[in-house]
Amino acid sequence: MDVLSSRIILRPADYASTLAFYRDGLELAIAREYPGGTVFFAGQSLIEVAAHAGSGESSSFHGAIWLQVRDVSDAAAELALKGIVIDRPPVQEAWGLIEMWVRDPDGVPIVFVEVPPSHPIRRDSRWSAE
């Protein structure tokens, strides 16, 4: 199977507030708009907020959206200025990433991640064997 593209599709209870959260709160750039939906760029992925086919209830989404940022403390300050509640402030985890957690209007968890320069994600393993 060849996967050519991917995106996360959210069908929120309140389309307008969720659209405002991703567009104005997180300031994600719009990739495409269509009647009843907006698709946002999210790094190498896409997040689609769709007004159609939703249940009208809060999400039962059991995963999380992972967004890598350059500086998670700066992101925390920006979000706080916009009144976005930070569920968990930036903390360096045992696995070395610095993470902060928020929720969208439907309660979908979003983790903002900073990858420190010394973390294995950033190191080129081809050169570490020497």
Side-chain angles (χ1 to χ4, degrees):
M1 165 180 24
D2 290 331
V3 176
L4 302 178
S5 170
S6 68
R7 71 177 65 168
I8 297 166
I9 300 174
L10 302 174
R11 292 191 168 91
D14 181 346
Y15 174 74
S17 67
T18 301
L19 177 66
F21 176 84
Y22 287 94
R23 182 191 60 217
D24 306 327
L26 300 187
E27 295 184 356
L28 297 182
I30 294 173
R32 169 171 111 67
E33 294 177 286
Y34 61 91
T38 303
V39 180
F40 295 97
F41 288 110
Q44 296 174 342
S45 188
L46 299 168
I47 297 172
E48 180 174 346
V49 178
H52 56 84
S55 66
E57 299 174 5
S58 289
S59 174
S60 61
F61 186 84
H62 295 290
I65 297 173
W66 194 94
L67 299 175
Q68 183 181 348
V69 295
R70 291 188 193 286
D71 187 312
V72 79
S73 294
D74 285 351
E78 287 179 39
L79 296 177
L81 285 173
K82 294 177 182 179
I84 294 174
V85 175
I86 297 172
D87 291 340
R88 191 164 160 262
V91 164
Q92 184 150 16
E93 301 292 354
W95 45 91
L97 299 175
I98 302 167
E99 298 184 0
M100 170 187 67
W101 290 78
V102 303
R103 292 182 182 275
D104 81 0
D106 276 308
V108 174
I110 302 168
V111 57
F112 289 85
V113 177
E114 177 182 336
V115 181
S118 62
H119 194 277
I121 289 176
R122 287 220 182 163
R123 287 195 306 246
D124 187 338
S125 61
R126 296 174 297 179
W127 305 109
S128 62
E130 293 180 42

